[in-house]
Amino acid sequence: MARMMTWVGGIGAGFAALCCFTGLLPFLLMALGLGSLIDIVYRDSLLFPVLGISLIIMGAGLWLTKSKSN
């Protein structure tokens, strides 16, 4: 379970960071035909909490993995 948390958190954090700091998200939404969601989803007030939550999940997974190995 802890390894899955680490992977999911890492993938979520990486994706959120790419969407926050590059223009990747609008291109992905347009490619999927969801261009009308750009105004709703492409906001720092939404992407930064997603990045933070993903980093917390990844950190918890790493902490649980380390505590199991001791």
Side-chain angles (χ1 to χ4, degrees):
M1 179 74 172
R3 288 185 188 207
M4 185 174 74
M5 286 175 63
T6 304
W7 276 100
V8 168
I11 291 170
F15 184 73
L18 278 175
C19 291
C20 279
F21 302 118
T22 65
L24 180 67
L25 188 60
F27 291 116
L28 287 175
L29 289 174
M30 292 297 257
L32 294 173
L34 301 171
S36 62
L37 294 177
I38 290 174
D39 291 336
I40 299 169
V41 178
Y42 194 58
R43 294 181 177 181
D44 287 339
S45 62
L46 180 71
L47 290 173
F48 282 144
V50 169
L51 177 63
I53 290 168
S54 297
L55 288 173
I56 289 170
I57 291 171
M58 185 177 75
L62 288 171
W63 182 71
L64 288 172
T65 302
K66 184 178 179 182
S67 67
K68 282 185 181 180
S69 67
N70 289 333

